[in-house]
Amino acid sequence: MASPAAREWLGIQSLPGATQTKLHELLSKLKQENVSTVTILVMGKGGVGKSSTVNSILGERVASVSAFQSEGLRPMMFSRTRAGFTLNIVDTPGLVEGGYVNEQALDIIKRFLLNKTIDVLLYVDRLDSYRVDNLDRLVIKSITDSFGKEIWKRGLLVLTHAQVSPPDGLDYADFYARRSEALLKFIRLGARIKKQEFQDSAVPVVLAENSGRCKTNDSGEKVLPDGTAWIPNLVKEITDVILNGSSPITVDQKLIDGPNPNDQGKFFIPLILAFQYFFVAKWIKRAIKNDIKNESKPLWELRDMGLANREF
Amino acid sequence: MAFSAQHQTLGTQLAGAVPTRPRRPPVSSSSIISASLPESGVSPHQTSSSRPLHWIRKKTLALSSASAFAAAAGGGFLFHLSSGTRPPGNPGGGGGWGWGSGGGGDGGGFWSFIFSPLSAIAEEDQTAAGGGQEWDSHGLPANIVVQLNKLSGFKKYKISEILFFDRRKWTTVSGTEDSFFEMVSLRPGGVYTKAQLLKELETLASCGMFEKVDLEAKTKPDGTLSLTVSFTESTWQSADSFRCINVGLMPQTKQMEMDPDMTDREKLEYFRSQEKDYKRRIERSRPCLLPFPVQREVLQMLREQGKLSARLLQRIRDRVQKWYHDEGYACAQVVNFGNLNTREVVCEVVEGDITKLDVQFQDKLGNICRRNTQLGVIRRELPKQLRQGHVFNIEAGKQALRNINSLALFSNIEVNPRPDEKNEGGIIVEIKLKELDQKSADVSTEWSVLYLVAKDLPTLASLQPGGTVTFEHRNIKGLNRSILGLLTSSNLLNPQDDLTFKLEYVHPYLDGVYNPRNRTFRASCFNSRKLSPVFTGGSALEEVPPIWVDRVGFKANVTESFTRQSKFTYGLVLEEITTRDETSSICTHGTRALPSGGLSMDGPPTTLSGTGVDRMAFAQGNITRDNTKFVNGAIVGERNVFQLDQGLGIGSKFPFFNRHQLTITRFFQLKEVEEGAGKPPPPVLVLHGHYGGCVGDLPSYDAFTLGGPYSVRGYNMGELGACRNILEVAAELRIPVKNTHVYAFVEHGNDLGSSKDVKGNPTEFFRRVGHGSSYGAGVKLGLVRMEYAVDHNAGSGAVFFRFGERF
């Protein structure tokens, strides 16, 4: 699927002025670091608000969002340029279908991303769901299996529906901390990253609230319950991730196919063969010889061989 | 006769007596021990061979131990065997032990006490005399005692009972309860003439058991006679040592007649020389097999008794012979007791030394015919204990029988020991073989009914004729080489659909028939069609479209047998593998039904080449170490198998791989039990481990699958996953109950995380777990195992019926 030619980012103008300023600041910061193109991959389960987040960032209604069904069956890339800077956002369909990870959808995403470079992965989930289950792990695992562990160094955990009233007895900060901690733990498990390693390069957590009823601050920016404007915050985190020194993920055929297990260790086959011959086969042969030697012969045979000494 | 003639020191009388008694014909000799070999006694390789054809033929194997022997010895040999099974209507037949006393009762220093297996009145005489059991009344008043010579010579008397009267103890015993009964050839209910009775008396008097013996007849009211044998037992001075010597193949000493006119001096001389002769004889005799414990037992008998009586000798003889016969030395017999009236009793035994091994081939009618099989083929199957110079043992005979039987070349096998007429005490082992036809062909057909739905009657279209055509050309060149062809189709109308064929050439004795190394070369063309367990759904996934794996190929290998069960096989396989879907069309990828109802066609690739057809050549090796044996029917021991497929880089996509499997199974006997038929088997603990791995190219059809009755019980074939490395562990405890056993088991199978290393990850694609455990219990019902297994992943259990053993 050919990506449409990058369009001028007009949507940015629909964002509140303060946000625009901040975005421009961040973009220029990236440009200073010689980054002129950023590709953001948005992934997550279905119905968590991936497309809405994309819309919010771009300030355009690029991805159709519906409350009751997932629209995107195939990944969509939205490219916007602004002052020589290109922003590509890839919106993907939900990865879950029928209680399992939809391998097919993942496969389509992978093929879609062929020959593209992923700068940032936004793993989107809801803040307002309470539980993390095995499915989350499977989703994270399949993302890891597809793009490698390294993708999480470029990963961002985006929690949507940030304007949630936490359950009784928990204050917002607490709830947020626990929810993000639970999800991060699953990311660590699903991606099979060592604890130490994970702590060194933690996946940042960003909150988002795409709803139109989101509170706004004085300058009209959408703000979180704690008062921060989340879009600039998100973009700031994205720039931080881009600039954190890890390399972006380039999706090529090899990455899509995964490592070919059939080629692993082929080099050692002669060695393995020699080991099998000299140790395993010889060992069994020796055991057989022992068996023959220790075979208990019937008495009449022993007597015949003159071994009985008339004792039996 | 051969063994006994020279023993008869009272030869003059007996010489006349013996020839008048025709030998019993060997056919009617009831002392044949026929051993018919049960089919289960054959090595497992044979039974598991795919040639059930061989087992249709009944193999009767008569191992006639000493049958001919008995016949030659005039029916006297092996009294115990023949007495029980005497054909009815011959009450007087059968054997009796003749006991000859040597040198007369008043001799002195040297005594020889001889068993001479004298034949008693033979059946022919009996039937002639008895003439259909007609008899004459004695015609005398009842209840009077008549001297034997007072009886009429023209009448045929019926003896209604025989009593023994011991003059020394002054007791009367009913005939059948006395140990001397076996000496008497007369039987209650028999009809005899006076001459016969007199002859019997003569025999008894001369047998050496009695110092004095008499026969008295008492008339009975019903016209029959009651016969009383009144006797005084012979006794000798007590002895305190016992020696057993093997006199087989030794010329028997000729005993000179003692001239009654000898002076005392001459007599002394005579006895001295006899004594010297006997000493020399003892020295020259070979040591016998009789072990010391039995000797001690006999010694104990001697000590307890004090005086050495004829009865005691009889008991000693029985004890010694019993040991020999119990141990399988069926041709062994006590022929003589020597050195009586000294402190040492010498028991002379003929153990049955083999003087010749004779292999005969018979045609269907039992006539000796030309052989096709080379002798070396048979000779290498015979235990060396059957060769010349060894003592014949029935177990060696049985082993020969089993070994020859496992060649599957003969329809009938007999191993007979026969006395060697030219060599006293020698045995000729005769092996009689009937060869099977070299060429055989077999066609079997069957109808199968397709799609028989409840209400529908089968129509012509739903009936499928199927069948198998087999041909075999066996024993080519007499070297047991064979060609076997097999063609099976379940639909003869359209055989190309599922034609299974196999053409195999077997070439045993690769290193020569006379080389002890046992290597067999096999070459075969084959095809097979199997449902791939790799493309099977996990427990959560309902239906997975099946993938059939068709293999056509050529295989050549060499098998070296180290023992009956342990062997090493190595060879080469060339094969073409085609994967097909349900519709028999070639498919390249596995498919899975999507929740939306569609089919996902991008499953794991079925072949290495990706085209659905792979060709490859690889080397194959298998080494099996198996020292399991049966202890009262329970299997005990250890079995290790290492199997290796080594890709050679020849074929589609140049497959180069090393696929290896190691299986270790141990059967621990948990309790020592006494071995023997009918004894209960011990409880057994089975531990089993199986590791498999593959390095290099691994097409889906060669991936290891987890789950199934031979992997992890309680799951379906492949339900747990398909992987590159596999580890299975299992434990089973078998407890014998009555004639069968119950068992409990725990099993676990694991992919060791290697499922992802199979291309396309079929484990994940079909939503399988990749590992699983199960536990359960079951009972063995004949060949069928009934077990309840709990699938630990789902936590639910089910009852399964399986054929054969898991391990």
Side-chain angles (χ1 to χ4, degrees), chain A residues 126-130 160-176 179 207-209 215 224-226:
Chain A
R126 300 172 71 123
L127 178 66
D128 62 346
S129 56
Y130 303 136
T160 57
H161 300 78
Q163 205 172 42
V164 68
S165 45
D168 297 343
L170 274 175
D171 66 351
Y172 186 84
D174 211 12
F175 177 70
Y176 160 68
R179 171 78 181 144
L207 290 169
E209 177 54 71
K215 282 182 200 141
L224 298 170
D226 63 355

Short mmCIF file of all heavy atoms in Angstrom, two decimals, chain A residues 126-130 160-176 179 207-209 215 224-226:
data_model
loop_
_atom_site.label_atom_id
_atom_site.label_comp_id
_atom_site.label_asym_id
_atom_site.label_seq_id
_atom_site.Cartn_x
_atom_site.Cartn_y
_atom_site.Cartn_z
N ARG A 126 -5.64 1.54 27.88
CA ARG A 126 -6.50 2.45 28.63
C ARG A 126 -6.02 2.55 30.07
O ARG A 126 -5.56 1.58 30.65
CB ARG A 126 -7.93 1.93 28.62
CG ARG A 126 -8.53 1.81 27.26
CD ARG A 126 -9.85 1.10 27.37
NE ARG A 126 -10.84 1.95 28.00
CZ ARG A 126 -12.00 2.27 27.44
NH1 ARG A 126 -12.28 1.82 26.22
NH2 ARG A 126 -12.85 3.01 28.05
N LEU A 127 -6.18 3.74 30.59
CA LEU A 127 -5.88 3.90 32.01
C LEU A 127 -7.01 3.34 32.85
O LEU A 127 -6.80 2.83 33.94
CB LEU A 127 -5.65 5.38 32.32
CG LEU A 127 -5.36 5.74 33.78
CD1 LEU A 127 -4.02 5.14 34.21
CD2 LEU A 127 -5.36 7.23 34.00
N ASP A 128 -8.22 3.40 32.30
CA ASP A 128 -9.37 3.12 33.16
C ASP A 128 -9.78 1.65 33.18
O ASP A 128 -10.86 1.33 33.62
CB ASP A 128 -10.55 4.00 32.75
CG ASP A 128 -10.99 3.71 31.33
OD1 ASP A 128 -10.22 3.04 30.61
OD2 ASP A 128 -12.08 4.14 30.96
N SER A 129 -8.95 0.77 32.66
CA SER A 129 -9.28 -0.63 32.92
C SER A 129 -8.37 -1.09 34.04
O SER A 129 -7.25 -0.62 34.20
CB SER A 129 -9.09 -1.47 31.65
OG SER A 129 -7.80 -1.32 31.16
N TYR A 130 -8.91 -1.98 34.82
CA TYR A 130 -8.23 -2.26 36.09
C TYR A 130 -7.25 -3.41 36.00
O TYR A 130 -6.34 -3.52 36.78
CB TYR A 130 -9.26 -2.55 37.17
CG TYR A 130 -10.25 -1.42 37.34
CD1 TYR A 130 -11.60 -1.65 37.48
CD2 TYR A 130 -9.78 -0.09 37.34
CE1 TYR A 130 -12.48 -0.61 37.63
CE2 TYR A 130 -10.66 0.95 37.49
CZ TYR A 130 -12.02 0.69 37.63
OH TYR A 130 -12.88 1.72 37.77
N THR A 160 -4.65 5.97 27.65
CA THR A 160 -5.74 6.86 27.25
C THR A 160 -6.80 6.87 28.33
O THR A 160 -6.71 6.15 29.31
CB THR A 160 -6.34 6.39 25.92
OG1 THR A 160 -6.76 5.05 26.10
CG2 THR A 160 -5.32 6.46 24.81
N HIS A 161 -7.82 7.66 28.05
CA HIS A 161 -8.92 7.85 29.00
C HIS A 161 -8.36 8.27 30.35
O HIS A 161 -8.69 7.72 31.39
CB HIS A 161 -9.77 6.58 29.16
CG HIS A 161 -10.39 6.14 27.86
ND1 HIS A 161 -9.68 5.47 26.89
CD2 HIS A 161 -11.63 6.29 27.37
CE1 HIS A 161 -10.46 5.22 25.87
NE2 HIS A 161 -11.67 5.72 26.13
N ALA A 162 -7.45 9.22 30.28
CA ALA A 162 -6.75 9.64 31.49
C ALA A 162 -7.69 10.35 32.45
O ALA A 162 -7.42 10.44 33.64
CB ALA A 162 -5.59 10.54 31.15
N GLN A 163 -8.79 10.87 31.91
CA GLN A 163 -9.70 11.63 32.78
C GLN A 163 -10.66 10.66 33.43
O GLN A 163 -11.84 10.61 33.13
CB GLN A 163 -10.47 12.65 31.94
CG GLN A 163 -10.94 13.81 32.77
CD GLN A 163 -11.52 14.85 31.87
OE1 GLN A 163 -12.25 14.54 30.92
NE2 GLN A 163 -11.22 16.11 32.13
N VAL A 164 -10.09 9.88 34.26
CA VAL A 164 -10.90 8.84 34.88
C VAL A 164 -11.01 9.14 36.35
O VAL A 164 -10.09 9.70 36.95
CB VAL A 164 -10.27 7.46 34.63
CG1 VAL A 164 -8.96 7.29 35.38
CG2 VAL A 164 -11.23 6.34 35.00
N SER A 165 -12.15 8.80 36.88
CA SER A 165 -12.23 8.94 38.33
C SER A 165 -11.87 7.59 38.91
O SER A 165 -12.51 6.59 38.63
CB SER A 165 -13.63 9.36 38.76
OG SER A 165 -14.58 8.61 38.06
N PRO A 166 -10.80 7.56 39.67
CA PRO A 166 -10.31 6.27 40.16
C PRO A 166 -11.31 5.63 41.11
O PRO A 166 -12.18 6.31 41.65
CB PRO A 166 -9.02 6.65 40.89
CG PRO A 166 -9.11 8.10 41.15
CD PRO A 166 -10.00 8.69 40.14
N PRO A 167 -11.23 4.31 41.26
CA PRO A 167 -12.16 3.62 42.16
C PRO A 167 -12.01 4.13 43.58
O PRO A 167 -11.03 4.76 43.93
CB PRO A 167 -11.74 2.16 42.04
CG PRO A 167 -10.38 2.17 41.44
CD PRO A 167 -10.28 3.40 40.64
N ASP A 168 -13.02 3.82 44.36
CA ASP A 168 -13.08 4.34 45.72
C ASP A 168 -11.81 4.01 46.49
O ASP A 168 -11.25 2.93 46.36
CB ASP A 168 -14.28 3.73 46.46
CG ASP A 168 -15.57 4.13 45.79
OD1 ASP A 168 -15.53 5.10 44.99
OD2 ASP A 168 -16.61 3.47 46.02
N GLY A 169 -11.41 4.96 47.28
CA GLY A 169 -10.30 4.71 48.19
C GLY A 169 -8.94 4.88 47.57
O GLY A 169 -7.94 4.57 48.18
N LEU A 170 -8.90 5.26 46.31
CA LEU A 170 -7.61 5.44 45.67
C LEU A 170 -7.57 6.85 45.12
O LEU A 170 -8.54 7.32 44.53
CB LEU A 170 -7.45 4.47 44.50
CG LEU A 170 -6.91 3.08 44.80
CD1 LEU A 170 -6.94 2.25 43.54
CD2 LEU A 170 -5.50 3.14 45.35
N ASP A 171 -6.49 7.52 45.33
CA ASP A 171 -6.44 8.82 44.68
C ASP A 171 -5.82 8.66 43.30
O ASP A 171 -5.28 7.63 42.95
CB ASP A 171 -5.70 9.86 45.55
CG ASP A 171 -4.25 9.53 45.71
OD1 ASP A 171 -3.88 8.42 45.29
OD2 ASP A 171 -3.52 10.36 46.26
N TYR A 172 -5.94 9.64 42.50
CA TYR A 172 -5.61 9.54 41.08
C TYR A 172 -4.16 9.14 40.86
O TYR A 172 -3.86 8.23 40.07
CB TYR A 172 -5.92 10.88 40.40
CG TYR A 172 -5.73 10.82 38.91
CD1 TYR A 172 -6.76 10.34 38.10
CD2 TYR A 172 -4.55 11.24 38.31
CE1 TYR A 172 -6.60 10.27 36.73
CE2 TYR A 172 -4.38 11.18 36.95
CZ TYR A 172 -5.41 10.69 36.15
OH TYR A 172 -5.25 10.63 34.82
N ALA A 173 -3.27 9.79 41.60
CA ALA A 173 -1.84 9.53 41.39
C ALA A 173 -1.51 8.08 41.70
O ALA A 173 -0.76 7.42 40.99
CB ALA A 173 -1.02 10.46 42.27
N ASP A 174 -2.13 7.63 42.78
CA ASP A 174 -1.91 6.26 43.20
C ASP A 174 -2.39 5.27 42.13
O ASP A 174 -1.70 4.33 41.75
CB ASP A 174 -2.68 6.03 44.51
CG ASP A 174 -1.99 5.02 45.38
OD1 ASP A 174 -0.82 4.70 45.06
OD2 ASP A 174 -2.61 4.55 46.36
N PHE A 175 -3.61 5.53 41.68
CA PHE A 175 -4.20 4.68 40.67
C PHE A 175 -3.35 4.65 39.41
O PHE A 175 -3.05 3.60 38.85
CB PHE A 175 -5.61 5.18 40.34
CG PHE A 175 -6.29 4.39 39.26
CD1 PHE A 175 -6.71 3.08 39.51
CD2 PHE A 175 -6.51 4.94 38.02
CE1 PHE A 175 -7.34 2.36 38.52
CE2 PHE A 175 -7.13 4.22 37.02
CZ PHE A 175 -7.55 2.91 37.28
N TYR A 176 -2.92 5.80 39.02
CA TYR A 176 -2.10 5.93 37.81
C TYR A 176 -0.80 5.16 37.99
O TYR A 176 -0.36 4.41 37.10
CB TYR A 176 -1.85 7.41 37.55
CG TYR A 176 -0.67 7.71 36.65
CD1 TYR A 176 -0.73 7.35 35.29
CD2 TYR A 176 0.47 8.31 37.13
CE1 TYR A 176 0.34 7.60 34.47
CE2 TYR A 176 1.55 8.56 36.32
CZ TYR A 176 1.48 8.21 34.98
OH TYR A 176 2.54 8.44 34.17
N ARG A 179 -1.51 1.37 37.93
CA ARG A 179 -1.90 0.89 36.59
C ARG A 179 -0.67 0.84 35.68
O ARG A 179 -0.44 -0.13 34.98
CB ARG A 179 -2.98 1.83 36.03
CG ARG A 179 -3.33 1.60 34.59
CD ARG A 179 -4.26 0.42 34.40
NE ARG A 179 -4.55 0.22 32.99
CZ ARG A 179 -4.70 -0.97 32.42
NH1 ARG A 179 -4.61 -2.06 33.14
NH2 ARG A 179 -4.97 -1.07 31.15
N LEU A 207 0.17 9.98 29.66
CA LEU A 207 -1.27 9.91 29.73
C LEU A 207 -1.89 10.67 28.58
O LEU A 207 -1.30 11.63 28.07
CB LEU A 207 -1.76 10.48 31.06
CG LEU A 207 -1.43 9.63 32.28
CD1 LEU A 207 -1.71 10.40 33.55
CD2 LEU A 207 -2.23 8.35 32.25
N ALA A 208 -3.05 10.25 28.16
CA ALA A 208 -3.73 10.95 27.07
C ALA A 208 -5.21 10.94 27.35
O ALA A 208 -5.73 10.03 28.01
CB ALA A 208 -3.43 10.25 25.75
N GLU A 209 -5.86 11.95 26.85
CA GLU A 209 -7.32 12.00 26.98
C GLU A 209 -7.87 12.60 25.69
O GLU A 209 -7.68 13.77 25.40
CB GLU A 209 -7.72 12.86 28.19
CG GLU A 209 -9.20 13.05 28.38
CD GLU A 209 -9.97 11.72 28.43
OE1 GLU A 209 -9.84 10.99 29.43
OE2 GLU A 209 -10.70 11.41 27.45
N LYS A 215 -10.93 18.38 29.91
CA LYS A 215 -10.81 19.73 30.46
C LYS A 215 -9.75 20.49 29.71
O LYS A 215 -8.77 19.91 29.21
CB LYS A 215 -10.42 19.64 31.94
CG LYS A 215 -11.58 19.29 32.83
CD LYS A 215 -11.11 19.28 34.28
CE LYS A 215 -12.04 18.48 35.16
NZ LYS A 215 -11.30 17.73 36.16
N LEU A 224 -4.72 17.20 31.67
CA LEU A 224 -5.00 16.01 32.46
C LEU A 224 -5.48 16.46 33.82
O LEU A 224 -5.36 17.65 34.17
CB LEU A 224 -3.71 15.21 32.62
CG LEU A 224 -3.14 14.72 31.29
CD1 LEU A 224 -1.76 14.16 31.50
CD2 LEU A 224 -4.06 13.69 30.66
N PRO A 225 -6.01 15.55 34.59
CA PRO A 225 -6.47 15.97 35.91
C PRO A 225 -5.39 16.67 36.73
O PRO A 225 -5.70 17.50 37.58
CB PRO A 225 -6.85 14.64 36.56
CG PRO A 225 -7.24 13.76 35.43
CD PRO A 225 -6.39 14.17 34.27
N ASP A 226 -4.11 16.34 36.46
CA ASP A 226 -3.08 17.01 37.25
C ASP A 226 -2.67 18.36 36.65
O ASP A 226 -1.77 19.02 37.14
CB ASP A 226 -1.85 16.12 37.43
CG ASP A 226 -1.19 15.79 36.11
OD1 ASP A 226 -1.75 16.19 35.05
OD2 ASP A 226 -0.13 15.14 36.12
#
